[in-house]
Amino acid sequence: MSTEKEVTIYDLARKLNISIATVSRALKDDPVVSKKTKKKIADLALELGYRSNNFARNLRTSRTNTIGVIIPRINSSFMSSVIAGMENVANSEGYNLIISQSSESAEKERVNAATLFNSRVDGLLVSLAYDTDSLAHFEPFTKKKIPLIFFDRTADKTEGTCIQIDNLRAAYEATTHLISQGNTRIVHITATPKRNVYIDRLQGYQQALADQRIAFREDYVIVGNLSQEAGADAAARIMEMKPLPDAVFVANDNCAVGCMTALKQAGIRIPADIAFAGFNNDPVSTVIEPNLTTVNYPGYEMGQIAARSLIDHLNGASSIHSTNTIILRSELIVRESSIRRKTNP
Amino acid sequence: MSTEKEVTIYDLARKLNISIATVSRALKDDPVVSKKTKKKIADLALELGYRSNNFARNLRTSRTNTIGVIIPRINSSFMSSVIAGMENVANSEGYNLIISQSSESAEKERVNAATLFNSRVDGLLVSLAYDTDSLAHFEPFTKKKIPLIFFDRTADKTEGTCIQIDNLRAAYEATTHLISQGNTRIVHITATPKRNVYIDRLQGYQQALADQRIAFREDYVIVGNLSQEAGADAAARIMEMKPLPDAVFVANDNCAVGCMTALKQAGIRIPADIAFAGFNNDPVSTVIEPNLTTVNYPGYEMGQIAARSLIDHLNGASSIHSTNTIILRSELIVRESSIRRKTNP
DNA sequence: TTGTATGCGTTATCAG
DNA sequence: CTGATAACGCATACAA
């Protein structure tokens, strides 16, 4: 039982005095091979420690059983969950995941796409970088009919499937909630409205204002990169506003936390002076005081669904190659940060 | 410039009336090929959109340019940073990463190892699951001289390289710091001491106590799974202790946060009644109030170094295949949660 | 149900 | 410096 040289189907065939064709078929569980020979082959394969050579197989079949993933960054709780969900279904379906980060740079995204293309991935799962304008770097994939699925940060007009939540509605609900608590001067902190998620959230915010007959004010929209630091910067700007806004809706919990912390340090009380609502239901939202009202966003599930859709597609299970969009359920979680009138006096 | 059929070296050779051997060599930048023909070939390759077929190459060279990664879970800030660091160097060196999660289960870890073995990864980066006892599932790798590097949660006696921090010293410093603040009844919350990181931290804690002539009490060590919930459970146990402990050293920030929150809800003041120190410098440590004293732990760097070591090894750069351990620098970050005497009265 | 023969696209070993 | 050719391990069309 030496592991020196790799065992091949030739070895199995020789030992059993049968042809490699039969061995190959048996190993693939081809129904055309008799149960008996199958068993013999399987047993010997196990005994000799045979493992199939994927390169040879791939070379023949030109499939890799590998899925490429491009994400802006892996270091948010949300994105980790997404990846975990993808890994979960990919693994159980015999696919491997190759993950690459664009670091929010369109240029790096381009390079990553090229690399994955050369790696001959069977399909691609993408969440776009902040500043990605053109989708030209994905053309090689679409040209070759390699399935492409966008999730979370999706593309406006694309051939591929999109998986996301209803950002507009979620933002609408969050804003409406803030208004229902008696707030009218509501600031919105977000990122450059290039990506659907931020555009839609902004629109939801605007629509909620409009529906409640509150005038939209351009200067109430603060644009940054949604980091904690950006939150602190936004806090500084908010404190300069007169009169002070009475609520803030942030497109991301992490940024909201940065902003809240800065405001608190300046002596502003939350929610008494300014109410807050965030987005993502990041773990920090239950650590910050007061706990942050936010939109729950099923990351793990989104990852699972994205991977599942892609694999179904690869297996020909889903014949639809038309532009279809999957909208996941999301929900507002109301916590202390936005509740104006406390029950205790 | 149709992309219908994949371009191969045969196509290039035919168009230029040269042999595929020359084309192959030129593409590899073999110095034996003349500059002129190299240029011709490179130009045509670009024009025709040639991309090398990795399967064919791998089949010949029996290398995959792929690194397998097994981690307990991807959903902590620390682990995300590690992965990000790995991805960073792997990508720039032309390697792909295949990431799989053990979900803290030794059984799943075994399966993952087998899968990665069959995927013929060139090397393996591993952080062990909580309850992994045996390392037998890594034997196929060591037998085949496939390099294996453990990071963070490393193995005691192994052939492979280990990358970690000095957990004992870090825990010693954290505990000593708590003692220096006047605390003597110090609880330690940790996980089952199977993994080096928890064993070492426990020892550091014990050693610090001993050095300050404080008796070690078995009942002051609370064992759980280090989740936020485990932290809350620990809080309940702490509150039953009489007299109340005056400090807690937790092996993980996230758990510390759960514990602090529960204690605060019960009206216990931090640090006035009980001081806290955590481990990992997770982002939540600067969100929880009071901010948490903790041990900073260079996750991104650890990922980079792990990947770098492995790749160097694969390239034959590091000839050392002996058992060597790389210890990364870590440091105690003192924040409010452990400072007894505030400057303001 | 099984066997034969061929090609997938490279790299490596020769020989020029 | 270049060319011819043999592997690498597998899947499959075709034949039996």
Side-chain angles (χ1 to χ4, degrees):
Chain A
M1 253 189 62
S2 147
T3 341
E4 280 313 292
K5 278 255 153 55
E6 208 61 60
V7 180
T8 74
I9 54 174
Y10 286 96
D11 301 323
L12 301 182
R14 201 176 313 120
K15 286 241 182 183
L16 294 173
N17 259 326
I18 54 179
S19 77
I20 61 159
T22 303
V23 175
S24 173
R25 284 191 274 253
L27 258 20
K28 287 200 67 83
D29 206 24
D30 191 320
V32 87
V33 180
S34 80
K35 279 244 160 82
K36 236 166 73 182
T37 45
K38 249 186 210 168
K39 174 106 176 75
K40 270 199 313 193
I41 294 170
D43 288 349
L44 185 65
L46 199 63
E47 184 192 331
L48 264 47
Y50 167 82
R51 50 178 188 163
S52 97
N53 185 317
N54 286 320
F55 317 140
R57 187 213 309 287
N58 291 340
L59 183 57
R60 272 299 308 227
T61 61
S62 50
R63 281 190 74 178
T64 63
N65 276 355
T66 296
I67 295 173
V69 181
I70 302 180
I71 52 176
R73 226 174 266 276
I74 205 178
N75 59 5
S76 72
S77 160
F78 169 70
M79 213 36 105
S80 308
S81 306
V82 172
I83 297 296
M86 288 178 176
E87 198 270 340
N88 173 261
V89 335
N91 220 7
S92 75
E93 295 290 332
Y95 281 83
N96 284 322
L97 242 45
I98 296 184
I99 297 162
S100 62
Q101 308 179 75
S102 65
S103 307
E104 299 290 10
S105 143
E107 173 57 22
K108 182 119 194 282
E109 186 177 287
R110 252 174 20 76
V111 174
N112 289 342
T115 304
L116 291 175
F117 185 66
N118 286 330
S119 298
R120 305 274 218 282
V121 293
D122 289 339
L124 200 58
L125 299 172
V126 180
S127 186
L128 293 166
Y130 267 150
D131 63 345
T132 297
D133 275 319
S134 152
L135 296 180
H137 47 301
F138 296 118
E139 267 174 32
F141 293 91
T142 48
K143 256 190 191 158
K144 271 211 162 330
K145 312 260 184 246
I146 296 171
L148 175 59
I149 294 185
F150 293 97
F151 63 93
D152 189 39
R153 307 252 204 97
T154 63
D156 294 335
K157 36 197 163 189
T158 172
E159 310 274 321
T161 303
C162 290
I163 298 173
Q164 55 191 68
I165 61 163
D166 189 338
N167 285 286
L168 193 152
R169 202 177 60 84
Y172 181 91
E173 282 179 9
T175 310
T176 302
H177 163 70
L178 288 174
I179 298 171
S180 78
Q181 295 292 309
N183 304 302
T184 55
R185 299 186 304 280
I186 304 174
V187 164
H188 179 41
I189 305 178
T190 185
T192 326
K194 268 191 181 175
R195 290 276 73 79
N196 65 312
V197 293
Y198 306 116
I199 296 172
D200 293 354
R201 289 173 199 177
L202 175 60
Q203 278 191 6
Y205 159 81
Q206 288 176 312
Q207 222 166 82
L209 292 181
D211 285 1
Q212 304 294 326
R213 315 231 174 271
I214 299 176
F216 168 71
R217 293 177 50 166
E218 195 74 62
D219 62 325
Y220 270 5
V221 176
I222 302 179
V223 171
N225 67 1
L226 291 181
S227 65
Q228 286 206 8
E229 295 70 42
D233 294 347
R237 282 188 49 189
I238 287 171
M239 286 186 285
E240 284 171 0
M241 296 178 177
K242 289 176 187 161
L244 202 64
D246 49 19
V248 181
F249 168 46
V250 193
N252 163 320
D253 284 347
N254 212 31
C255 181
V257 162
C259 189
M260 289 168 75
T261 304
L263 289 176
K264 281 163 65 182
Q265 271 167 4
I268 292 176
R269 294 164 308 163
I270 299 168
D273 298 329
I274 300 185
F276 261 86
F279 215 105
N280 269 16
N281 195 22
D282 190 285
V284 291
S285 64
T286 58
V287 173
I288 184 82
E289 291 181 31
N291 280 192
L292 182 60
T293 291
T294 188
V295 176
N296 188 37
Y297 200 143
Y300 191 85
E301 198 182 337
M302 181 172 278
Q304 285 187 306
I305 291 179
R308 170 74 54 205
S309 307
L310 188 65
I311 291 173
D312 283 352
H313 201 98
L314 290 171
N315 293 340
S318 73
S319 53
I320 329 122
H321 69 89
S322 61
T323 310
N324 60 350
T325 300
I326 298 175
I327 305 286
L328 298 189
R329 184 184 32 75
S330 67
E331 71 208 332
L332 185 69
I333 298 180
V334 176
R335 301 207 183 96
E336 306 156 46
S337 73
S338 64
I339 299 180
R340 255 300 144 55
R341 303 161 201 86
K342 295 234 177 185
T343 45
N344 48 347
Chain B
M1 251 189 60
S2 146
T3 342
E4 280 314 291
K5 278 258 153 54
E6 207 60 60
V7 180
T8 73
I9 54 173
Y10 285 97
D11 301 324
L12 302 181
R14 200 176 313 121
K15 288 239 181 182
L16 294 174
N17 258 325
I18 55 179
S19 77
I20 60 160
T22 304
V23 175
S24 174
R25 284 192 276 256
L27 258 21
K28 287 198 67 83
D29 207 25
D30 190 319
V32 86
V33 181
S34 80
K35 279 247 160 86
K36 237 169 70 183
T37 45
K38 249 186 209 169
K39 173 107 176 73
K40 270 198 313 192
I41 293 170
D43 287 350
L44 185 66
L46 197 64
E47 185 192 330
L48 263 45
Y50 166 82
R51 51 177 186 163
S52 97
N53 184 319
N54 286 320
F55 316 141
R57 187 213 308 285
N58 291 340
L59 183 58
R60 273 304 308 224
T61 61
S62 52
R63 282 190 72 178
T64 62
N65 275 359
T66 296
I67 295 173
V69 181
I70 302 180
I71 51 175
R73 225 174 265 278
I74 204 177
N75 60 4
S76 73
S77 161
F78 168 70
M79 212 38 104
S80 308
S81 306
V82 171
I83 297 295
M86 288 178 178
E87 197 271 340
N88 173 262
V89 336
N91 219 8
S92 75
E93 294 291 333
Y95 281 82
N96 283 323
L97 242 44
I98 296 185
I99 297 163
S100 62
Q101 307 180 73
S102 64
S103 307
E104 299 290 10
S105 141
E107 173 56 22
K108 182 120 194 281
E109 187 177 287
R110 254 175 16 80
V111 174
N112 288 343
T115 304
L116 291 174
F117 185 66
N118 286 330
S119 297
R120 306 272 219 280
V121 294
D122 288 341
L124 200 58
L125 299 171
V126 179
S127 186
L128 293 167
Y130 267 150
D131 63 344
T132 297
D133 275 320
S134 151
L135 296 180
H137 47 302
F138 296 118
E139 266 174 31
F141 294 91
T142 47
K143 257 190 190 158
K144 270 209 162 334
K145 312 259 184 245
I146 297 171
L148 175 61
I149 294 185
F150 293 96
F151 62 93
D152 191 37
R153 307 250 203 99
T154 62
D156 295 334
K157 35 196 164 188
T158 172
E159 309 276 318
T161 303
C162 290
I163 298 173
Q164 55 192 67
I165 61 163
D166 189 339
N167 285 286
L168 194 152
R169 202 176 60 83
Y172 181 92
E173 282 179 9
T175 309
T176 302
H177 163 70
L178 288 174
I179 297 172
S180 78
Q181 294 294 307
N183 304 302
T184 55
R185 298 187 302 281
I186 305 174
V187 164
H188 179 41
I189 305 179
T190 185
T192 326
K194 268 191 182 176
R195 291 276 74 80
N196 65 312
V197 291
Y198 306 116
I199 296 172
D200 293 354
R201 289 173 199 177
L202 176 60
Q203 278 190 6
Y205 159 79
Q206 289 176 312
Q207 220 166 84
L209 293 181
D211 284 1
Q212 304 295 325
R213 314 232 174 270
I214 298 176
F216 168 70
R217 292 178 49 166
E218 195 74 61
D219 62 324
Y220 269 5
V221 177
I222 302 180
V223 172
N225 68 0
L226 291 181
S227 66
Q228 287 206 8
E229 294 71 41
D233 295 347
R237 281 187 51 188
I238 287 171
M239 287 186 283
E240 285 171 359
M241 295 179 179
K242 285 171 188 164
L244 203 65
D246 50 18
V248 182
F249 167 47
V250 193
N252 163 320
D253 284 347
N254 212 30
C255 180
V257 162
C259 188
M260 288 168 76
T261 305
L263 290 177
K264 281 164 64 182
Q265 273 168 2
I268 292 175
R269 295 165 307 164
I270 299 168
D273 298 328
I274 300 185
F276 261 84
F279 215 106
N280 269 18
N281 195 22
D282 190 285
V284 290
S285 64
T286 58
V287 174
I288 184 81
E289 292 181 29
N291 280 193
L292 182 60
T293 291
T294 188
V295 175
N296 188 36
Y297 199 141
Y300 191 85
E301 200 183 336
M302 180 173 279
Q304 286 187 307
I305 291 178
R308 172 72 58 204
S309 306
L310 188 64
I311 291 172
D312 282 353
H313 201 98
L314 290 170
N315 293 341
S318 72
S319 53
I320 328 122
H321 68 88
S322 61
T323 311
N324 58 349
T325 300
I326 299 175
I327 304 286
L328 299 189
R329 184 183 33 73
S330 67
E331 69 207 334
L332 185 70
I333 299 180
V334 176
R335 301 206 182 97
E336 305 156 47
S337 73
S338 64
I339 299 180
R340 257 297 144 58
R341 303 162 202 84
K342 296 233 177 184
T343 46
N344 48 348

